[in-house]
Amino acid sequence: MSIWSRISQAIQALASGEGLTAVFDQLRSPPQRKVAFTIAVIALSAKMAKADGLVTRDEVTAFREVFQIAPEDEGGAAKVFNLARQDVAGFEDYARRIARMFDTETGTLCDLMEGLFHIAMADGTYHPAEDAFLHRVSEIFGMEERQFRALRARFVPDEVPDPYTVLGVSPEMSLDDIRAAYRKLVRDSHPDVMIARGVPEEAVALSQRRLADINRAWEEIRAQDAA
């Protein structure tokens, strides 16, 4: 059974009038994490779209880049998106329930934030409302400020592309310590590790950009040190 079929089943199981918050409370066991992750990205993307006032074709395309959606599954994804947009629950309520759903799995929550940044930047504009939205979601997820800045530095062109920020390190650290942080990021970005965290196979493409960004940052820091 495809992940989209499982998502459709989860939505159909909702009682009349229930919103997606009920789904977040139900999908908390490890076998359901892939479904939960996908629904969480769709739901928060819908709330983020309301934050900047519109949904562009670029954002829809970006979502398809994060999740490889077959034509026959597009209806199911659209149903989740529209359900989230129409839900009276606010995005903070969504974020809190998603944080509880993944409990202490900060790596999975970071993966989720990465997908949201990818979608936010699809139209080439980082709206102030999107920044406020993503920053608040990261706070609810328990992310440290430096982690949020590292994500933003990787995705937002207007940000200073500081390689230290991208790796979540500081220039005062030794090269050995920076190398250790870099290697940990590489390990955490391996597709098999991401899948083990609950990221569906359809979304592992997220790791490709992450690896390119952190490798570029490490090479820049290493070149500066050599000079």
Side-chain angles (χ1 to χ4, degrees):
M1 183 184 296
S2 75
I3 191 169
W4 300 105
S5 298
R6 291 159 62 194
I7 287 172
S8 295
Q9 286 185 349
I11 299 302
Q12 290 168 4
L14 292 174
S16 178
E18 277 189 310
L20 281 179
T21 50
V23 172
F24 299 143
D25 290 339
Q26 294 165 8
L27 302 178
R28 301 186 67 175
S29 62
Q32 299 169 317
R33 294 297 171 85
K34 293 181 181 2
V35 175
F37 182 93
T38 307
I39 292 178
V41 175
I42 298 172
L44 284 177
S45 296
K47 294 296 187 184
M48 183 169 61
K50 291 183 69 173
D52 70 359
L54 73 162
V55 182
T56 68
R57 182 173 297 179
D58 290 329
E59 287 170 331
V60 175
T61 300
F63 184 80
R64 288 174 176 156
E65 289 174 357
V66 176
F67 295 98
Q68 299 170 16
I69 308 176
E72 63 270 20
D73 294 321
E74 290 180 359
K79 187 173 182 179
V80 178
F81 191 91
N82 290 328
L83 187 60
R85 273 203 304 181
Q86 297 161 9
D87 197 345
V88 295
F91 80 90
E92 291 185 335
D93 191 11
Y94 274 33
R96 290 188 188 96
R97 290 173 188 255
I98 291 167
R100 288 199 299 269
M101 182 168 61
F102 290 109
D103 198 15
T104 57
E105 298 177 28
T106 55
T108 306
L109 293 173
C110 186
D111 295 331
L112 201 159
M113 286 292 300
E114 221 168 43
L116 293 176
F117 264 105
H118 181 80
I119 293 166
M121 288 305 304
D123 59 1
T125 302
Y126 190 55
H127 195 281
E130 291 175 323
D131 183 62
F133 176 95
L134 290 170
H135 192 263
R136 179 59 184 144
V137 170
S138 75
E139 290 177 337
I140 294 172
F141 283 178
M143 292 181 66
E144 296 180 4
E145 182 67 21
R146 65 177 181 81
Q147 290 178 294
F148 178 77
R149 289 200 305 267
L151 279 171
R152 189 167 59 187
R154 286 177 44 216
F155 283 91
V156 182
D158 291 342
E159 291 288 307
V160 177
D162 175 36
Y164 296 96
T165 302
V166 169
L167 296 185
V169 298
S170 68
E172 292 75 28
M173 293 172 62
S174 70
L175 189 63
D176 286 342
D177 287 342
I178 294 173
R179 181 186 291 107
Y182 158 72
R183 287 176 174 170
K184 183 179 185 304
L185 286 172
V186 170
R187 288 195 302 272
D188 291 346
S189 302
H190 191 282
D192 290 344
V193 175
M194 293 180 69
I195 291 171
R197 284 201 296 263
V199 178
E201 290 85 347
E202 291 87 349
V204 172
L206 288 170
S207 67
Q208 297 173 359
R209 172 167 181 166
R210 183 192 303 178
L211 281 169
D213 290 340
I214 62 179
N215 282 330
R216 188 182 305 113
W218 166 245
E219 289 302 326
E220 186 174 340
I221 290 172
R222 194 169 65 166
Q224 290 176 4
D225 182 76

